[in-house]
Amino acid sequence: MRRDRAGAAGPRLGVEEEFLVVDAVTRAVTPGAEKVVARAAQRLGPRVSGEITTLHVETRTSPVWSITELLDQLVEARRIVADAAAVDGLRVVASGTSVLPGALCPPVTQGPRQDRGIATFRGLHDELAICALHVHVEVPDRERALLVGNHLRAYLPLLVAVTANSPYCEGRDSGYASWRTMVWPRWPVAGPPPRFESLAHYDRVVAMLAAAGATVDGGTLFWDVRPSLRFPTVEVRVADVPVTAQESALVAALVRALVVRADEAVARGDAGPEIPGELLRAAYWRAARDGLEGELLDVATGRLRPARELLVETVAAVAPVLRGYGDDGLVDDWLRALLATGSGAARQRAAVARRGELCDAVDYLATATAGGGSLKDGSFA
């Protein structure tokens, strides 16, 4: 295992990004993912796949220690997928929701598991055309990963605000920075997770949910933080997919730093803050509504504070961890760029403001998704 500058062993991390396939002419979502995935897989292999609907393409990185290597993989995958889409007159966009109409009742991929899901969740599938960023950080002990998640709950509203990138949905401005965050928790086991005392407590809750028919299998435990079912990781699933690869990589760096600090707290016997579920849901709502440009409900104090201020404080708090892994300079550059360009939601609205045409947001997103990967490439001027 690679070691940080202080000589301590460091966890690897990986990222999954979801994209929507759109028609290059109409800019509306279109069920072309199967062809895009097949063509992109010739170069990416298992690092690209379909998702629950035929509107989605998902890419993933290999487990890495280096944020630079992570960014390289993200940029490579985005470019390959974009090239594969272009062959069929399609584009891919990194947006939490579909900008233009056409995504309601999306075509679901076929299979026995999908059939069980449709029978169980029914109309909830009508709004599945949403895209997220999933960050995995290596925590091999499953109970340890669960207890780390208790600490991460406090930072989830901030991560919602930082990555907010879904202001438009089905041809209308939702009034929110992250409409995806409002859609996703409608599922019975989604949104902010409960606080768990132990792995045994977690298993009891999961068993009760299964007995209630609220899950199809372990893969439908959609909480925004969870011990991964497939990997020895804690998985953070709260974010909209960001516009640029750089944002995804550096959100991953921030998440890893938060995980490392939380793991140290767990080792000291710190059980994590007891945040009432009602307060956490209110903080989610505020973050989804106003994003990085607004005020957040600070769950530690119960006060409203500027989201930008909380972000700067959080980065400063984990700065020793970032320095240990050599990520501090990258994150500082990202932070300055993000504060200068604004959230993905703000950039989408800026693209539309020029002419009042929603298709301009789609064009902006498609260009930035396949671009060089930096916030500078993804700025809107």
Side-chain angles (χ1 to χ4, degrees), residues 35-282:
K35 290 182 179 180
V36 175
V37 169
R39 191 170 288 111
Q42 295 174 17
R43 297 173 63 188
L44 289 173
R47 286 179 48 209
V48 63
S49 68
E51 245 290 342
I52 185 63
T53 82
T54 58
L55 307 178
H56 285 91
V57 174
E58 179 179 287
T59 65
R60 60 191 65 89
T61 69
S62 305
V64 297
W65 281 282
S66 164
I67 295 299
T68 301
E69 184 178 353
L70 187 81
L71 177 59
D72 289 343
Q73 289 194 28
L74 290 171
V75 171
E76 175 193 41
R78 284 176 175 231
R79 286 177 171 164
I80 289 173
V81 168
D83 289 345
V87 173
D88 291 311
L90 305 172
R91 305 183 83 182
V92 291
V93 296
S95 177
T97 51
S98 173
V99 175
L100 295 177
L104 286 179
C105 303
V108 175
T109 55
Q110 297 182 342
R113 184 171 184 263
Q114 292 90 323
D115 292 342
R116 293 197 304 272
I118 291 171
T120 301
F121 300 120
R122 305 176 188 180
L124 288 177
H125 283 82
D126 291 349
E127 297 182 80
L128 265 184
I130 53 178
C131 294
L133 168 74
H134 298 170
V135 179
H136 290 262
V137 180
E138 192 173 32
V139 182
D141 183 271
R142 189 167 175 78
E143 184 161 53
R144 190 72 163 246
L146 187 70
L147 298 177
V148 163
N150 288 340
H151 290 264
L152 297 181
R153 292 171 77 236
Y155 297 98
L156 296 178
L158 177 62
L159 293 174
V160 168
V162 168
T163 60
N165 186 35
S166 51
Y168 300 108
C169 185
E170 286 297 293
R172 61 182 287 270
D173 190 327
S174 68
Y176 281 69
S178 175
W179 186 242
R180 173 192 159 275
T181 298
M182 303 308 297
V183 170
W184 188 226
R186 297 176 188 178
W187 292 67
V189 189
R195 187 176 185 273
F196 294 105
E197 298 172 0
S198 64
L199 186 58
H201 178 205
Y202 174 85
D203 288 340
R204 287 196 303 272
V205 171
V206 170
M208 287 189 289
L209 290 167
T215 63
V216 170
D217 52 33
T220 54
L221 294 169
F222 295 131
W223 285 311
D224 288 333
V225 176
R226 68 181 188 184
S228 174
L229 295 172
R230 297 180 295 159
F231 308 113
T233 65
V234 59
E235 183 181 4
V236 179
R237 307 160 46 86
V238 71
D240 286 357
V241 63
V243 176
T244 67
Q246 184 186 51
E247 289 167 272
S248 292
L250 291 157
V251 168
L254 178 58
V255 168
R256 176 168 67 176
L258 290 169
V259 168
V260 168
R261 199 172 70 153
D263 190 59
E264 292 169 350
V266 171
R268 297 193 302 268
D270 184 346
E274 295 191 18
I275 304 167
E278 298 83 356
L279 184 66
L280 191 53
R281 287 183 65 85

